[in-house]
Amino acid sequence: MNQVTLTINGIRITAPEGEKLLWAALDNGIYIPNLCGLKENTEPLAACRLCFVEIQGRNKPVTACTETVTERMVVDTKGEQCLRLAKSGFELLMASHALDCGHCLKNRNCELQRIAHHLRVSLKPRILRKILRDLPVDDSHPAFIYDPNKCVLCGRCIWVCRNHVKSGVFGFAHRGFQRRVTTFGDEPMGRSDCDGCLECVRVCPTGALVERGAVPRLGRTEPVY
Amino acid sequence: MTRNSFPQPITRQEEVEAKQKTRRVLKGFTKKRANLIPILQAVQRKLGYLPRIAMAEIAIFLDIPSVDVYEVVTFYNQFRLNPPGKHSVRVCLGTACHMKGGYITLDAWERRLKIKRGDTTPDREFDLDTVACVGCCTMAPVTVVDEKPEAKVEPTKVDGLLLAFEREKQQTSEKPQ
């Protein structure tokens, strides 16, 4: 496969032709915040609005997950504009996230914590008022527990359920602030056709989908950023 | 304002009927995913609402996960999950009605009918929902009861309107005797 050479943050890297910028950066050890991306998915959802980068010659920041790499592309992942967009997007997500790291099974293994650390922002929203969704936690399934209050609506679980497992247990439903990942008729997961392959748990970036009986990571209860 | 999904249990007979009617409607469509919304509209025209069984039938027909049908149904306001009541109650929550206490009116309806917005009373007499604006803001807060806009609906007027329905019902049941 043909390789293209590009520059990210002053570092020259090579990536296969046709690759999306986000994966080219991540594969070369350059972190860009992202939640909804899945490398296997060739049609990016571009839903999380966190992977903004600045490309020389463009007047606006673009999402790295939708941008194909080109020869001699010059990318800046630390530009003022793109970081501001990412920080605002992250703040919006955290304004309705049921933050409880101390009791969360994803603690110290959580994409949200990683992004907060990378962007040097607090996990608690600074400007926005916290509005929680207060939805019931679904622990009806024998293999996993689903907490919609920790969901960031990235859609990864829906994508793997359809494309890997060829099953359609999950989907989005309802509208606006009520929008959530749910099953047909909002029924408990335990009553759906799910066979418990746990692919969704593997891709979930937050503590919304966790394996039943998983052991929490010990250490500092809540990271101080 | 979480909407309940299927708070109204339907009888076995209703379910069989809904299934048959849905299948009949489906005969007029090709198995293309783009037909989903026209199918949903046609089924709702026939049944008045979209029961679980109808959505499941449509999903099988189009060969898509049933949760995808549910996604579309819960997204658009035009689709309802509950059977319609004999009388429809639509509380306006447009800007003017909002300022004049539309939410208090909605609360009053919810308390009196003992249902939440989007639901139907167990006796299928009333269904309650909200609208964004009905275009007669001078009458705020407005409630449209069976196509008729009622002006300045305060909680006491809610009681009055319900009393009128009750008396009407009594009179019609007394007539045959």
Side-chain angles (χ1 to χ4, degrees):
Chain A
M1 195 187 275
N2 284 337
Q3 297 275 318
V4 292
T5 314
L6 61 150
T7 315
I8 305 181
N9 298 348
I11 303 161
R12 274 167 72 92
I13 62 160
T14 52
E17 203 177 359
E19 177 115 291
K20 297 291 182 216
L21 184 54
L22 177 63
W23 309 115
L26 292 177
D27 289 346
N28 284 281
I30 300 161
Y31 183 68
I32 298 172
N34 70 92
L35 287 171
C36 66
L38 276 172
K39 203 175 176 181
E40 304 101 302
N41 187 356
T42 48
E43 287 170 31
L45 283 164
C48 70
R49 318 309 290 167
L50 293 178
C51 65
F52 280 107
V53 292
E54 285 166 26
I55 297 172
Q56 211 171 71
R58 305 279 191 91
N59 51 5
K60 278 181 193 164
V62 292
T63 46
C65 64
T66 54
E67 202 64 28
T68 311
V69 288
T70 54
E71 188 66 42
R72 287 197 287 279
M73 189 185 231
V74 180
V75 185
D76 182 11
T77 69
K78 290 177 177 162
E80 200 181 306
Q81 281 185 55
C82 66
L83 285 181
R84 206 180 148 191
L85 277 172
K87 282 177 186 171
S88 308
F90 188 70
E91 170 121 0
L92 279 162
L93 282 178
M94 296 315 288
S96 60
H97 182 78
L99 199 64
D100 187 19
C101 299
H103 298 100
C104 183
L105 288 170
K106 268 280 169 77
N107 191 18
R108 290 159 70 76
N109 186 26
C110 174
E111 201 62 29
L112 294 174
Q113 289 178 343
R114 188 176 181 188
I115 293 169
H117 183 74
H118 177 85
L119 294 174
R120 294 185 195 171
V121 293
S122 160
L123 283 162
K124 295 188 185 95
R126 280 278 154 86
I127 307 154
L128 299 172
R129 184 161 48 103
K130 194 119 186 166
I131 304 177
L132 295 174
R133 281 164 283 191
D134 269 331
L135 294 165
V137 175
D138 185 349
D139 60 354
S140 60
H141 199 281
F144 63 87
I145 299 166
Y146 170 53
D147 183 353
N149 304 304
K150 289 179 183 169
C151 178
V152 289
L153 300 175
C154 68
R156 277 187 187 178
C157 52
I158 298 173
W159 192 85
V160 288
C161 197
R162 303 232 167 141
N163 294 279
H164 266 256
V165 198
K166 304 280 175 212
S167 138
V169 175
F170 290 122
F172 285 119
H174 305 277
R175 188 171 36 155
F177 194 61
Q178 297 300 317
R179 191 148 180 92
R180 73 193 88 139
V181 171
T182 185
T183 56
F184 181 41
D186 292 329
E187 277 174 355
M189 296 285 174
R191 273 172 61 191
S192 67
D193 307 325
C194 174
D195 61 359
C197 70
L198 296 180
E199 275 293 298
C200 51
V201 174
R202 188 181 62 80
V203 295
C204 182
T206 73
L209 284 163
V210 286
E211 194 176 347
R212 190 178 276 276
V215 184
R217 286 201 172 193
L218 296 174
R220 251 181 358 213
T221 45
E222 191 160 336
V224 190
Y225 292 134
Chain B
M1 55 149 274
T2 311
R3 282 170 185 238
N4 286 348
S5 315
F6 302 106
Q8 273 278 317
I10 60 170
T11 61
R12 183 87 196 113
Q13 195 202 335
E14 276 178 315
E15 201 174 279
V16 173
E17 210 174 292
K19 195 172 176 174
Q20 281 170 349
K21 280 184 179 167
T22 307
R23 285 195 172 161
R24 227 171 295 151
V25 172
L26 287 173
K27 274 185 191 137
F29 290 93
T30 51
K31 298 191 178 203
K32 266 196 286 183
R33 200 192 160 128
N35 279 334
L36 178 56
I37 289 174
I39 290 172
L40 288 169
Q41 286 169 328
V43 172
Q44 180 158 295
R45 253 197 309 277
K46 200 103 197 163
L47 299 172
Y49 70 117
L50 291 161
R52 189 196 153 87
I53 185 83
M55 286 193 274
E57 280 297 317
I58 295 165
I60 294 165
F61 177 78
L62 294 174
D63 194 24
I64 55 174
S66 44
V67 66
D68 280 13
V69 181
Y70 187 66
E71 174 177 3
V72 172
V73 171
T74 53
F75 185 85
Y76 292 104
N77 250 343
Q78 60 171 308
F79 297 124
R80 42 180 310 129
L81 291 162
N82 292 307
K86 217 162 88 190
H87 305 290
S88 79
V89 178
R90 297 286 174 270
V91 182
C92 181
L93 292 179
T95 314
C97 291
H98 175 87
M99 293 307 292
K100 295 286 265 177
Y103 279 93
I104 298 168
T105 312
L106 178 64
D107 273 352
W109 282 111
E110 286 184 337
R111 256 198 318 276
R112 296 289 179 272
L113 297 172
K114 296 188 183 69
I115 51 169
K116 292 278 164 220
R117 60 161 100 172
D119 292 352
T120 307
T121 51
D123 59 2
R124 306 248 175 113
E125 278 290 318
F126 297 96
D127 63 64
L128 179 64
D129 214 338
T130 57
V131 285
C133 183
V134 288
C136 43
C137 304
T138 51
M139 293 156 72
V142 178
T143 297
V144 185
V145 182
D146 290 335
E147 315 274 300
K148 185 174 173 274
E150 299 284 349
K152 297 195 172 62
V153 185
E154 266 119 40
T156 44
K157 185 143 185 194
V158 172
D159 288 337
L161 288 164
L162 284 172
L163 194 68
F165 276 121
E166 216 163 279
R167 283 186 63 182
E168 193 186 299
K169 205 177 157 190
Q170 265 173 7
Q171 275 166 2
T172 46
S173 62
E174 274 165 14
K175 252 177 206 167
Q177 288 166 1

PDB file of all heavy atoms in Angstrom, chain A residues 22 24 37-38 41 48 66 84-85 87 103 108 118 131 134 136 138 146-147 155 168 175 187 195 211 218:
ATOM      1  N   LEU A  22      -6.988  10.716  12.358  1.00  0.00           N
ATOM      2  CA  LEU A  22      -7.033  10.327  13.766  1.00  0.00           C
ATOM      3  C   LEU A  22      -6.221   9.062  14.016  1.00  0.00           C
ATOM      4  O   LEU A  22      -5.407   9.012  14.933  1.00  0.00           O
ATOM      5  CB  LEU A  22      -8.495  10.111  14.198  1.00  0.00           C
ATOM      6  CG  LEU A  22      -8.722   9.628  15.629  1.00  0.00           C
ATOM      7  CD1 LEU A  22      -8.231  10.645  16.643  1.00  0.00           C
ATOM      8  CD2 LEU A  22     -10.193   9.332  15.875  1.00  0.00           C
ATOM      9  N   ALA A  24      -3.916   7.723  12.017  1.00  0.00           N
ATOM     10  CA  ALA A  24      -2.512   7.941  11.688  1.00  0.00           C
ATOM     11  C   ALA A  24      -1.785   8.545  12.885  1.00  0.00           C
ATOM     12  O   ALA A  24      -0.678   8.126  13.230  1.00  0.00           O
ATOM     13  CB  ALA A  24      -2.413   8.867  10.485  1.00  0.00           C
ATOM     14  N   GLY A  37     -14.845   7.258  17.804  1.00  0.00           N
ATOM     15  CA  GLY A  37     -14.148   6.604  16.695  1.00  0.00           C
ATOM     16  C   GLY A  37     -13.877   5.129  16.944  1.00  0.00           C
ATOM     17  O   GLY A  37     -13.606   4.708  18.055  1.00  0.00           O
ATOM     18  N   LEU A  38     -13.982   4.345  15.878  1.00  0.00           N
ATOM     19  CA  LEU A  38     -13.582   2.946  15.899  1.00  0.00           C
ATOM     20  C   LEU A  38     -12.834   2.721  14.600  1.00  0.00           C
ATOM     21  O   LEU A  38     -13.339   3.043  13.536  1.00  0.00           O
ATOM     22  CB  LEU A  38     -14.805   2.020  15.938  1.00  0.00           C
ATOM     23  CG  LEU A  38     -15.446   1.724  17.284  1.00  0.00           C
ATOM     24  CD1 LEU A  38     -16.736   0.963  17.072  1.00  0.00           C
ATOM     25  CD2 LEU A  38     -14.517   0.931  18.180  1.00  0.00           C
ATOM     26  N   ASN A  41     -14.528   0.961  11.756  1.00  0.00           N
ATOM     27  CA  ASN A  41     -15.641   1.643  11.107  1.00  0.00           C
ATOM     28  C   ASN A  41     -15.109   2.620  10.060  1.00  0.00           C
ATOM     29  O   ASN A  41     -14.463   3.615  10.377  1.00  0.00           O
ATOM     30  CB  ASN A  41     -16.461   2.388  12.163  1.00  0.00           C
ATOM     31  CG  ASN A  41     -17.723   2.984  11.584  1.00  0.00           C
ATOM     32  OD1 ASN A  41     -17.972   2.911  10.391  1.00  0.00           O
ATOM     33  ND2 ASN A  41     -18.522   3.584  12.430  1.00  0.00           N
ATOM     34  N   CYS A  48     -18.713  12.779  18.657  1.00  0.00           N
ATOM     35  CA  CYS A  48     -18.269  13.280  19.961  1.00  0.00           C
ATOM     36  C   CYS A  48     -17.710  14.688  19.897  1.00  0.00           C
ATOM     37  O   CYS A  48     -17.661  15.382  20.896  1.00  0.00           O
ATOM     38  CB  CYS A  48     -17.274  12.323  20.602  1.00  0.00           C
ATOM     39  SG  CYS A  48     -15.659  12.240  19.806  1.00  0.00           S
ATOM     40  N   THR A  66     -12.617  12.284  10.427  1.00  0.00           N
ATOM     41  CA  THR A  66     -13.249  12.302   9.105  1.00  0.00           C
ATOM     42  C   THR A  66     -12.282  12.767   8.021  1.00  0.00           C
ATOM     43  O   THR A  66     -12.629  12.777   6.844  1.00  0.00           O
ATOM     44  CB  THR A  66     -14.468  13.245   9.082  1.00  0.00           C
ATOM     45  OG1 THR A  66     -14.049  14.526   9.539  1.00  0.00           O
ATOM     46  CG2 THR A  66     -15.585  12.743   9.959  1.00  0.00           C
ATOM     47  N   ARG A  84      -9.897  24.755  22.072  1.00  0.00           N
ATOM     48  CA  ARG A  84     -11.055  25.429  22.653  1.00  0.00           C
ATOM     49  C   ARG A  84     -12.337  24.666  22.309  1.00  0.00           C
ATOM     50  O   ARG A  84     -13.228  24.487  23.142  1.00  0.00           O
ATOM     51  CB  ARG A  84     -11.135  26.856  22.112  1.00  0.00           C
ATOM     52  CG  ARG A  84     -11.859  27.728  23.096  1.00  0.00           C
ATOM     53  CD  ARG A  84     -11.991  29.136  22.645  1.00  0.00           C
ATOM     54  NE  ARG A  84     -13.258  29.603  23.198  1.00  0.00           N
ATOM     55  CZ  ARG A  84     -13.833  30.726  22.855  1.00  0.00           C
ATOM     56  NH1 ARG A  84     -13.270  31.492  21.971  1.00  0.00           N
ATOM     57  NH2 ARG A  84     -14.979  31.068  23.388  1.00  0.00           N
ATOM     58  N   LEU A  85     -12.430  24.228  21.044  1.00  0.00           N
ATOM     59  CA  LEU A  85     -13.607  23.449  20.625  1.00  0.00           C
ATOM     60  C   LEU A  85     -13.692  22.146  21.411  1.00  0.00           C
ATOM     61  O   LEU A  85     -14.764  21.764  21.894  1.00  0.00           O
ATOM     62  CB  LEU A  85     -13.511  23.130  19.131  1.00  0.00           C
ATOM     63  CG  LEU A  85     -13.979  24.197  18.167  1.00  0.00           C
ATOM     64  CD1 LEU A  85     -13.624  23.788  16.753  1.00  0.00           C
ATOM     65  CD2 LEU A  85     -15.473  24.408  18.283  1.00  0.00           C
ATOM     66  N   LYS A  87     -12.394  21.441  24.332  1.00  0.00           N
ATOM     67  CA  LYS A  87     -12.705  21.705  25.744  1.00  0.00           C
ATOM     68  C   LYS A  87     -14.187  21.997  25.936  1.00  0.00           C
ATOM     69  O   LYS A  87     -14.807  21.529  26.893  1.00  0.00           O
ATOM     70  CB  LYS A  87     -11.862  22.874  26.271  1.00  0.00           C
ATOM     71  CG  LYS A  87     -10.437  22.478  26.601  1.00  0.00           C
ATOM     72  CD  LYS A  87      -9.623  23.679  27.042  1.00  0.00           C
ATOM     73  CE  LYS A  87      -8.170  23.280  27.221  1.00  0.00           C
ATOM     74  NZ  LYS A  87      -7.302  24.441  27.430  1.00  0.00           N
ATOM     75  N   HIS A 103     -16.373   5.164  42.837  1.00  0.00           N
ATOM     76  CA  HIS A 103     -17.120   3.910  42.838  1.00  0.00           C
ATOM     77  C   HIS A 103     -17.254   3.315  41.443  1.00  0.00           C
ATOM     78  O   HIS A 103     -17.938   2.315  41.266  1.00  0.00           O
ATOM     79  CB  HIS A 103     -18.515   4.123  43.425  1.00  0.00           C
ATOM     80  CG  HIS A 103     -18.490   4.572  44.846  1.00  0.00           C
ATOM     81  ND1 HIS A 103     -18.666   5.889  45.201  1.00  0.00           N
ATOM     82  CD2 HIS A 103     -18.272   3.888  45.989  1.00  0.00           C
ATOM     83  CE1 HIS A 103     -18.562   5.987  46.518  1.00  0.00           C
ATOM     84  NE2 HIS A 103     -18.329   4.796  47.021  1.00  0.00           N
ATOM     85  N   ARG A 108      -9.541   4.995  36.426  1.00  0.00           N
ATOM     86  CA  ARG A 108      -8.141   4.841  35.986  1.00  0.00           C
ATOM     87  C   ARG A 108      -8.017   4.074  34.672  1.00  0.00           C
ATOM     88  O   ARG A 108      -6.913   3.767  34.234  1.00  0.00           O
ATOM     89  CB  ARG A 108      -7.293   4.172  37.071  1.00  0.00           C
ATOM     90  CG  ARG A 108      -7.085   5.088  38.275  1.00  0.00           C
ATOM     91  CD  ARG A 108      -6.714   4.330  39.514  1.00  0.00           C
ATOM     92  NE  ARG A 108      -5.374   3.766  39.415  1.00  0.00           N
ATOM     93  CZ  ARG A 108      -4.249   4.467  39.543  1.00  0.00           C
ATOM     94  NH1 ARG A 108      -4.308   5.756  39.737  1.00  0.00           N
ATOM     95  NH2 ARG A 108      -3.077   3.880  39.488  1.00  0.00           N
ATOM     96  N   HIS A 118      -5.476  15.092  29.337  1.00  0.00           N
ATOM     97  CA  HIS A 118      -4.830  15.601  28.120  1.00  0.00           C
ATOM     98  C   HIS A 118      -5.159  17.078  27.886  1.00  0.00           C
ATOM     99  O   HIS A 118      -4.288  17.870  27.548  1.00  0.00           O
ATOM    100  CB  HIS A 118      -5.274  14.770  26.919  1.00  0.00           C
ATOM    101  CG  HIS A 118      -4.720  15.243  25.615  1.00  0.00           C
ATOM    102  ND1 HIS A 118      -3.483  14.863  25.155  1.00  0.00           N
ATOM    103  CD2 HIS A 118      -5.227  16.087  24.681  1.00  0.00           C
ATOM    104  CE1 HIS A 118      -3.258  15.443  23.994  1.00  0.00           C
ATOM    105  NE2 HIS A 118      -4.302  16.191  23.683  1.00  0.00           N
ATOM    106  N   ILE A 131     -26.579  19.042  34.839  1.00  0.00           N
ATOM    107  CA  ILE A 131     -27.946  18.525  34.726  1.00  0.00           C
ATOM    108  C   ILE A 131     -27.843  17.032  34.483  1.00  0.00           C
ATOM    109  O   ILE A 131     -27.327  16.607  33.450  1.00  0.00           O
ATOM    110  CB  ILE A 131     -28.737  19.195  33.578  1.00  0.00           C
ATOM    111  CG1 ILE A 131     -28.752  20.712  33.750  1.00  0.00           C
ATOM    112  CG2 ILE A 131     -30.172  18.676  33.545  1.00  0.00           C
ATOM    113  CD1 ILE A 131     -29.436  21.454  32.626  1.00  0.00           C
ATOM    114  N   ASP A 134     -30.711  11.133  35.387  1.00  0.00           N
ATOM    115  CA  ASP A 134     -31.457  10.362  36.397  1.00  0.00           C
ATOM    116  C   ASP A 134     -32.243   9.201  35.808  1.00  0.00           C
ATOM    117  O   ASP A 134     -33.424   9.039  36.094  1.00  0.00           O
ATOM    118  CB  ASP A 134     -32.404  11.279  37.182  1.00  0.00           C
ATOM    119  CG  ASP A 134     -31.712  11.836  38.415  1.00  0.00           C
ATOM    120  OD1 ASP A 134     -30.826  11.138  38.930  1.00  0.00           O
ATOM    121  OD2 ASP A 134     -32.054  12.957  38.833  1.00  0.00           O
ATOM    122  N   PRO A 136     -32.797   5.016  35.291  1.00  0.00           N
ATOM    123  CA  PRO A 136     -32.503   3.845  36.114  1.00  0.00           C
ATOM    124  C   PRO A 136     -31.338   3.022  35.547  1.00  0.00           C
ATOM    125  O   PRO A 136     -31.199   2.887  34.340  1.00  0.00           O
ATOM    126  CB  PRO A 136     -33.809   3.045  36.084  1.00  0.00           C
ATOM    127  CG  PRO A 136     -34.539   3.540  34.891  1.00  0.00           C
ATOM    128  CD  PRO A 136     -34.116   4.944  34.652  1.00  0.00           C
ATOM    129  N   ASP A 138     -29.560  -0.329  34.573  1.00  0.00           N
ATOM    130  CA  ASP A 138     -30.097  -1.618  34.133  1.00  0.00           C
ATOM    131  C   ASP A 138     -29.108  -2.735  34.490  1.00  0.00           C
ATOM    132  O   ASP A 138     -28.068  -2.889  33.871  1.00  0.00           O
ATOM    133  CB  ASP A 138     -30.325  -1.563  32.608  1.00  0.00           C
ATOM    134  CG  ASP A 138     -31.003  -2.818  32.087  1.00  0.00           C
ATOM    135  OD1 ASP A 138     -31.109  -3.792  32.844  1.00  0.00           O
ATOM    136  OD2 ASP A 138     -31.416  -2.807  30.911  1.00  0.00           O
ATOM    137  N   TYR A 146     -25.523  -1.904  32.687  1.00  0.00           N
ATOM    138  CA  TYR A 146     -25.609  -0.707  31.846  1.00  0.00           C
ATOM    139  C   TYR A 146     -26.121   0.473  32.673  1.00  0.00           C
ATOM    140  O   TYR A 146     -27.223   0.424  33.202  1.00  0.00           O
ATOM    141  CB  TYR A 146     -26.536  -0.984  30.649  1.00  0.00           C
ATOM    142  CG  TYR A 146     -26.893   0.239  29.847  1.00  0.00           C
ATOM    143  CD1 TYR A 146     -25.907   1.089  29.358  1.00  0.00           C
ATOM    144  CD2 TYR A 146     -28.221   0.551  29.564  1.00  0.00           C
ATOM    145  CE1 TYR A 146     -26.235   2.212  28.632  1.00  0.00           C
ATOM    146  CE2 TYR A 146     -28.559   1.674  28.823  1.00  0.00           C
ATOM    147  CZ  TYR A 146     -27.558   2.506  28.362  1.00  0.00           C
ATOM    148  OH  TYR A 146     -27.881   3.622  27.643  1.00  0.00           O
ATOM    149  N   ASP A 147     -25.297   1.515  32.758  1.00  0.00           N
ATOM    150  CA  ASP A 147     -25.699   2.725  33.470  1.00  0.00           C
ATOM    151  C   ASP A 147     -25.830   3.864  32.458  1.00  0.00           C
ATOM    152  O   ASP A 147     -24.831   4.465  32.066  1.00  0.00           O
ATOM    153  CB  ASP A 147     -24.658   3.065  34.535  1.00  0.00           C
ATOM    154  CG  ASP A 147     -25.069   4.277  35.371  1.00  0.00           C
ATOM    155  OD1 ASP A 147     -26.083   4.919  35.019  1.00  0.00           O
ATOM    156  OD2 ASP A 147     -24.384   4.579  36.358  1.00  0.00           O
ATOM    157  N   GLY A 155     -22.073   5.873  20.522  1.00  0.00           N
ATOM    158  CA  GLY A 155     -22.588   4.950  19.515  1.00  0.00           C
ATOM    159  C   GLY A 155     -21.664   3.800  19.168  1.00  0.00           C
ATOM    160  O   GLY A 155     -21.953   3.023  18.264  1.00  0.00           O
ATOM    161  N   GLY A 168     -28.776  -6.779  16.604  1.00  0.00           N
ATOM    162  CA  GLY A 168     -29.207  -5.388  16.756  1.00  0.00           C
ATOM    163  C   GLY A 168     -29.930  -5.166  18.061  1.00  0.00           C
ATOM    164  O   GLY A 168     -31.084  -4.791  18.086  1.00  0.00           O
ATOM    165  N   ARG A 175     -35.525  11.668  22.004  1.00  0.00           N
ATOM    166  CA  ARG A 175     -34.970  12.841  21.346  1.00  0.00           C
ATOM    167  C   ARG A 175     -34.456  13.856  22.348  1.00  0.00           C
ATOM    168  O   ARG A 175     -34.960  13.937  23.467  1.00  0.00           O
ATOM    169  CB  ARG A 175     -36.047  13.472  20.464  1.00  0.00           C
ATOM    170  CG  ARG A 175     -35.516  14.583  19.600  1.00  0.00           C
ATOM    171  CD  ARG A 175     -36.540  15.019  18.614  1.00  0.00           C
ATOM    172  NE  ARG A 175     -37.880  14.973  19.202  1.00  0.00           N
ATOM    173  CZ  ARG A 175     -38.881  15.700  18.781  1.00  0.00           C
ATOM    174  NH1 ARG A 175     -38.724  16.509  17.791  1.00  0.00           N
ATOM    175  NH2 ARG A 175     -40.054  15.600  19.358  1.00  0.00           N
ATOM    176  N   GLU A 187     -36.902  -1.918  26.914  1.00  0.00           N
ATOM    177  CA  GLU A 187     -37.004  -3.058  27.807  1.00  0.00           C
ATOM    178  C   GLU A 187     -35.660  -3.339  28.474  1.00  0.00           C
ATOM    179  O   GLU A 187     -34.626  -2.952  27.952  1.00  0.00           O
ATOM    180  CB  GLU A 187     -37.472  -4.286  27.014  1.00  0.00           C
ATOM    181  CG  GLU A 187     -38.967  -4.257  26.874  1.00  0.00           C
ATOM    182  CD  GLU A 187     -39.501  -5.350  25.998  1.00  0.00           C
ATOM    183  OE1 GLU A 187     -38.696  -6.077  25.415  1.00  0.00           O
ATOM    184  OE2 GLU A 187     -40.726  -5.455  25.925  1.00  0.00           O
ATOM    185  N   ASP A 195     -26.737 -12.108  23.649  1.00  0.00           N
ATOM    186  CA  ASP A 195     -26.161 -13.366  24.135  1.00  0.00           C
ATOM    187  C   ASP A 195     -24.957 -13.130  25.048  1.00  0.00           C
ATOM    188  O   ASP A 195     -24.307 -14.080  25.471  1.00  0.00           O
ATOM    189  CB  ASP A 195     -25.791 -14.281  22.962  1.00  0.00           C
ATOM    190  CG  ASP A 195     -24.756 -13.645  22.042  1.00  0.00           C
ATOM    191  OD1 ASP A 195     -24.348 -12.510  22.314  1.00  0.00           O
ATOM    192  OD2 ASP A 195     -24.357 -14.284  21.066  1.00  0.00           O
ATOM    193  N   GLU A 211     -18.540  -4.962  32.756  1.00  0.00           N
ATOM    194  CA  GLU A 211     -18.768  -6.383  32.944  1.00  0.00           C
ATOM    195  C   GLU A 211     -19.195  -6.627  34.382  1.00  0.00           C
ATOM    196  O   GLU A 211     -18.684  -6.020  35.315  1.00  0.00           O
ATOM    197  CB  GLU A 211     -17.464  -7.139  32.652  1.00  0.00           C
ATOM    198  CG  GLU A 211     -17.675  -8.607  32.501  1.00  0.00           C
ATOM    199  CD  GLU A 211     -16.389  -9.327  32.128  1.00  0.00           C
ATOM    200  OE1 GLU A 211     -15.413  -8.656  31.756  1.00  0.00           O
ATOM    201  OE2 GLU A 211     -16.388 -10.559  32.220  1.00  0.00           O
ATOM    202  N   LEU A 218      -7.615  -0.351  41.937  1.00  0.00           N
ATOM    203  CA  LEU A 218      -7.293   0.320  43.185  1.00  0.00           C
ATOM    204  C   LEU A 218      -6.368   1.489  42.903  1.00  0.00           C
ATOM    205  O   LEU A 218      -5.799   1.615  41.836  1.00  0.00           O
ATOM    206  CB  LEU A 218      -6.649  -0.665  44.159  1.00  0.00           C
ATOM    207  CG  LEU A 218      -7.596  -1.795  44.584  1.00  0.00           C
ATOM    208  CD1 LEU A 218      -6.847  -2.800  45.426  1.00  0.00           C
ATOM    209  CD2 LEU A 218      -8.794  -1.273  45.341  1.00  0.00           C
TER     210      LEU A 218
END
